[in-house]
Amino acid sequence: MGNNQKKICIVGAGGFGREVYSSFKEIYNREFTFMDDNPDLLGKTIMGVPVISFSEFDVKLYDVVIAVGNPKTREAITEKLPSNTNYITLIHSTAIIMNDSEIGEGSIITAGCIVTCNVKIGKHSHLNLHSSVGHDCRIGEFFTTAPGARISGECVIGNNVYFGTNACVRQGVTITDETTVGMGGIVVKNIEKQGIYIGNPLKRLEK
Protein backbone atom coordinates (compact mmCIF):
# COMPACT_ATOMS: atom_id res chain seq x y z
CA MET A 1 0.00 0.00 0.00
CA GLY A 2 1.13 3.50 -0.69
CA ASN A 3 1.73 6.32 1.76
CA ASN A 4 -0.72 9.14 1.09
CA GLN A 5 1.91 11.67 2.13
CA LYS A 6 4.14 10.57 -0.74
CA LYS A 7 3.89 11.69 -4.32
CA ILE A 8 3.08 9.13 -7.00
CA CYS A 9 6.01 8.76 -9.39
CA ILE A 10 5.05 7.55 -12.85
CA VAL A 11 8.12 6.05 -14.50
CA GLY A 12 7.85 6.81 -18.20
CA ALA A 13 6.68 10.14 -19.56
CA GLY A 14 5.66 8.79 -22.96
CA GLY A 15 2.20 8.16 -24.31
CA PHE A 16 1.12 5.51 -21.83
CA GLY A 17 2.57 7.43 -18.90
CA ARG A 18 0.55 10.48 -19.89
CA GLU A 19 -2.57 8.33 -20.26
CA VAL A 20 -2.01 6.95 -16.77
CA TYR A 21 -1.67 10.43 -15.32
CA SER A 22 -4.79 11.67 -17.11
CA SER A 23 -6.79 8.64 -15.99
CA PHE A 24 -5.77 8.58 -12.34
CA LYS A 25 -5.08 12.18 -11.31
CA GLU A 26 -8.68 12.71 -10.19
CA ILE A 27 -9.03 9.29 -8.57
CA TYR A 28 -5.90 9.58 -6.43
CA ASN A 29 -5.89 12.89 -4.61
CA ARG A 30 -2.10 13.11 -4.50
CA GLU A 31 0.72 14.92 -6.24
CA PHE A 32 2.28 13.24 -9.26
CA THR A 33 5.76 13.29 -10.76
CA PHE A 34 7.10 11.75 -13.96
CA MET A 35 10.50 10.05 -14.02
CA ASP A 36 12.29 9.43 -17.31
CA ASP A 37 15.79 8.93 -18.68
CA ASN A 38 15.19 11.04 -21.80
CA PRO A 39 17.55 14.04 -21.42
CA ASP A 40 15.24 16.20 -23.53
CA LEU A 41 12.52 15.92 -20.87
CA LEU A 42 14.51 16.41 -17.70
CA GLY A 43 13.77 19.57 -15.78
CA LYS A 44 10.65 20.21 -17.84
CA THR A 45 6.98 19.72 -17.08
CA ILE A 46 4.51 17.55 -19.00
CA MET A 47 0.82 18.30 -18.55
CA GLY A 48 1.89 20.49 -15.65
CA VAL A 49 3.77 17.61 -13.96
CA PRO A 50 7.53 17.87 -13.33
CA VAL A 51 9.91 15.33 -14.84
CA ILE A 52 12.78 14.07 -12.69
CA SER A 53 15.77 11.87 -13.50
CA PHE A 54 16.54 8.48 -11.97
CA SER A 55 19.40 10.11 -10.03
CA GLU A 56 16.89 12.43 -8.34
CA PHE A 57 14.65 9.61 -7.16
CA ASP A 58 14.22 9.21 -3.39
CA VAL A 59 12.32 6.21 -2.02
CA LYS A 60 11.23 8.30 0.97
CA LEU A 61 9.35 10.76 -1.24
CA TYR A 62 7.64 8.60 -3.86
CA ASP A 63 5.37 5.64 -4.43
CA VAL A 64 6.14 4.24 -7.87
CA VAL A 65 4.30 2.79 -10.83
CA ILE A 66 6.06 1.94 -14.09
CA ALA A 67 4.03 3.07 -17.10
CA VAL A 68 6.19 1.62 -19.87
CA GLY A 69 4.47 -0.72 -22.31
CA ASN A 70 7.37 -3.04 -23.14
CA PRO A 71 7.46 -5.84 -20.52
CA LYS A 72 11.22 -6.39 -20.70
CA THR A 73 11.93 -2.68 -20.32
CA ARG A 74 9.59 -2.58 -17.34
CA GLU A 75 11.45 -5.49 -15.76
CA ALA A 76 14.80 -3.78 -16.36
CA ILE A 77 13.53 -0.64 -14.63
CA THR A 78 12.60 -2.62 -11.50
CA GLU A 79 16.16 -3.95 -11.44
CA LYS A 80 17.51 -0.41 -11.77
CA LEU A 81 15.43 1.08 -8.95
CA PRO A 82 16.37 0.59 -5.26
CA SER A 83 15.29 -2.72 -3.73
CA ASN A 84 13.20 -0.90 -1.10
CA THR A 85 11.15 1.04 -3.68
CA ASN A 86 7.45 1.02 -2.78
CA TYR A 87 5.29 0.18 -5.78
CA ILE A 88 1.66 1.27 -5.91
CA THR A 89 -1.07 -0.55 -7.84
CA LEU A 90 -3.43 1.72 -9.80
CA ILE A 91 -6.94 0.43 -10.50
CA HIS A 92 -9.33 2.70 -12.36
CA SER A 93 -12.71 3.35 -10.76
CA THR A 94 -14.53 1.95 -13.82
CA ALA A 95 -12.59 -1.34 -13.78
CA ILE A 96 -14.34 -4.41 -12.35
CA ILE A 97 -12.10 -6.62 -10.21
CA MET A 98 -13.96 -9.41 -8.42
CA ASN A 99 -13.14 -9.78 -4.72
CA ASP A 100 -11.42 -13.16 -4.91
CA SER A 101 -8.97 -12.11 -7.63
CA GLU A 102 -5.44 -10.90 -6.93
CA ILE A 103 -3.52 -8.16 -8.73
CA GLY A 104 0.25 -7.97 -8.18
CA GLU A 105 1.94 -4.87 -6.84
CA GLY A 106 2.97 -2.17 -9.28
CA SER A 107 0.25 -3.11 -11.75
CA ILE A 108 -2.01 -0.75 -13.71
CA ILE A 109 -5.62 -1.65 -14.48
CA THR A 110 -7.11 1.00 -16.75
CA ALA A 111 -10.64 2.12 -17.52
CA GLY A 112 -13.25 -0.45 -18.51
CA CYS A 113 -11.19 -3.57 -17.72
CA ILE A 114 -12.81 -6.67 -16.22
CA VAL A 115 -11.08 -9.31 -14.12
CA THR A 116 -13.51 -12.03 -13.08
CA CYS A 117 -13.35 -14.65 -10.33
CA ASN A 118 -10.32 -16.49 -8.93
CA VAL A 119 -7.78 -14.75 -11.18
CA LYS A 120 -4.17 -14.13 -10.19
CA ILE A 121 -2.08 -11.57 -12.07
CA GLY A 122 1.59 -11.05 -11.25
CA LYS A 123 3.55 -7.95 -10.36
CA HIS A 124 4.02 -4.97 -12.67
CA SER A 125 1.33 -6.02 -15.13
CA HIS A 126 -0.76 -3.73 -17.33
CA LEU A 127 -4.32 -4.23 -18.52
CA ASN A 128 -5.04 -1.52 -21.04
CA LEU A 129 -8.45 -0.09 -21.92
CA HIS A 130 -11.41 -2.52 -21.95
CA SER A 131 -9.35 -5.70 -21.67
CA SER A 132 -10.88 -8.69 -19.89
CA VAL A 133 -9.56 -11.75 -18.05
CA GLY A 134 -11.84 -14.74 -17.45
CA HIS A 135 -12.23 -17.00 -14.43
CA ASP A 136 -9.40 -19.04 -12.89
CA CYS A 137 -6.60 -17.59 -15.01
CA ARG A 138 -3.03 -17.61 -13.73
CA ILE A 139 -0.91 -14.85 -15.25
CA GLY A 140 2.76 -14.11 -14.58
CA GLU A 141 4.68 -10.92 -13.93
CA PHE A 142 5.22 -8.05 -16.38
CA PHE A 143 2.15 -9.07 -18.37
CA THR A 144 0.74 -6.50 -20.79
CA THR A 145 -2.38 -6.08 -22.86
CA ALA A 146 -3.03 -3.38 -25.42
CA PRO A 147 -6.66 -2.16 -25.52
CA GLY A 148 -9.43 -4.67 -26.06
CA ALA A 149 -7.58 -7.93 -25.40
CA ARG A 150 -9.81 -10.85 -24.39
CA ILE A 151 -8.54 -13.77 -22.29
CA SER A 152 -10.96 -16.61 -21.66
CA GLY A 153 -11.09 -18.61 -18.44
CA GLU A 154 -8.61 -21.15 -17.07
CA CYS A 155 -5.64 -19.86 -19.08
CA VAL A 156 -2.06 -20.06 -17.79
CA ILE A 157 0.15 -17.26 -19.08
CA GLY A 158 3.85 -16.80 -18.31
CA ASN A 159 6.06 -13.80 -17.53
CA ASN A 160 6.78 -10.97 -19.97
CA VAL A 161 3.88 -11.78 -22.24
CA TYR A 162 2.37 -9.06 -24.44
CA PHE A 163 -1.02 -9.10 -26.19
CA GLY A 164 -1.71 -6.58 -28.94
CA THR A 165 -4.97 -4.71 -29.45
CA ASN A 166 -8.00 -7.04 -29.71
CA ALA A 167 -5.95 -10.22 -29.28
CA CYS A 168 -8.14 -13.12 -28.07
CA VAL A 169 -7.28 -16.31 -26.19
CA ARG A 170 -9.39 -19.45 -26.07
CA GLN A 171 -10.32 -21.01 -22.72
CA GLY A 172 -7.78 -23.30 -21.11
CA VAL A 173 -4.77 -22.23 -23.22
CA THR A 174 -1.22 -22.13 -21.82
CA ILE A 175 1.23 -19.51 -23.14
CA THR A 176 4.93 -19.63 -22.33
CA ASP A 177 7.15 -16.76 -21.11
CA GLU A 178 8.47 -14.06 -23.45
CA THR A 179 5.63 -14.35 -25.95
CA THR A 180 4.05 -11.59 -28.02
CA VAL A 181 0.64 -12.03 -29.65
CA GLY A 182 0.10 -9.37 -32.28
CA MET A 183 -2.89 -7.14 -32.91
CA GLY A 184 -6.02 -9.19 -33.54
CA GLY A 185 -4.20 -12.49 -32.98
CA ILE A 186 -6.41 -15.48 -32.13
CA VAL A 187 -4.86 -18.04 -29.76
CA VAL A 188 -6.72 -21.38 -29.83
CA LYS A 189 -3.98 -23.77 -28.69
CA ASN A 190 -0.99 -23.77 -26.36
CA ILE A 191 2.07 -21.68 -27.22
CA GLU A 192 5.15 -23.57 -26.04
CA LYS A 193 7.85 -21.76 -28.01
CA GLN A 194 8.81 -18.16 -27.26
CA GLY A 195 8.40 -15.63 -30.04
CA ILE A 196 6.08 -13.27 -31.87
CA TYR A 197 2.79 -14.68 -33.13
CA ILE A 198 0.35 -12.97 -35.47
CA GLY A 199 -2.85 -13.57 -37.39
CA ASN A 200 -5.76 -16.00 -37.55
CA PRO A 201 -4.81 -18.78 -37.71
CA LEU A 202 -1.93 -17.77 -35.46
CA LYS A 203 1.56 -18.11 -36.94
CA ARG A 204 5.00 -17.60 -35.39
CA LEU A 205 7.22 -15.07 -37.09
CA GLU A 206 10.58 -16.54 -37.95
CA LYS A 207 13.63 -14.30 -37.59
Side-chain angles (χ1 to χ4, degrees):
M1 297 296 292
N3 180 341
N4 287 336
Q5 300 304 312
K6 292 183 178 181
K7 296 179 181 180
I8 294 177
C9 179
I10 300 173
V11 182
F16 186 58
R18 289 182 282 115
E19 287 181 348
V20 168
Y21 171 67
S22 296
S23 296
F24 290 98
K25 64 180 179 178
E26 302 298 335
I27 297 172
Y28 292 82
N29 186 25
R30 294 164 63 179
E31 292 186 61
F32 283 78
T33 298
F34 286 114
M35 183 162 67
D36 206 289
D37 59 4
N38 182 344
D40 293 334
L41 300 179
L42 300 182
K44 298 182 180 179
T45 60
I46 295 177
M47 304 173 72
V49 177
V51 182
I52 65 170
S53 66
F54 281 82
S55 63
E56 296 174 276
F57 176 72
D58 185 341
V59 295
K60 298 178 181 178
L61 299 179
Y62 301 103
D63 290 328
V64 173
V65 66
I66 303 173
V68 175
N70 184 292
K72 292 298 292 182
T73 302
R74 204 153 67 242
E75 183 178 27
I77 290 170
T78 65
E79 295 170 352
K80 180 177 182 178
L81 290 172
S83 60
N84 60 339
T85 298
N86 188 71
Y87 294 100
I88 188 172
T89 298
L90 302 182
I91 299 176
H92 196 271
S93 58
T94 64
I96 298 173
I97 313 292
M98 294 191 179
N99 290 336
D100 59 349
S101 289
E102 300 177 13
I103 309 296
E105 70 174 10
S107 295
I108 302 172
I109 312 297
T110 62
C113 291
I114 300 174
V115 177
T116 68
C117 60
N118 192 33
V119 173
K120 293 185 178 180
I121 299 176
K123 297 177 181 179
H124 303 289
S125 293
H126 294 171
L127 296 186
N128 213 327
L129 301 168
H130 299 283
S131 294
S132 64
V133 181
H135 62 88
D136 303 303
C137 286
R138 297 293 180 267
I139 298 176
E141 299 180 354
F142 304 100
F143 173 67
T144 306
T145 72
R150 297 286 184 261
I151 303 165
S152 300
E154 300 178 340
C155 292
V156 178
I157 297 172
N159 299 320
N160 296 295
V161 173
Y162 182 94
F163 290 160
T165 299
N166 293 330
C168 296
V169 185
R170 183 179 181 178
Q171 181 164 328
V173 165
T174 296
I175 298 175
T176 193
D177 298 343
E178 314 284 348
T179 297
T180 295
V181 177
M183 182 186 304
I186 308 297
V187 185
V188 297
K189 59 183 179 180
N190 294 348
I191 295 178
E192 299 175 349
K193 187 175 183 180
Q194 297 175 356
I196 299 173
Y197 293 79
I198 62 171
N200 181 22
L202 203 69
K203 295 181 179 180
R204 184 176 184 271
L205 291 180
E206 300 295 337
K207 292 184 179 180

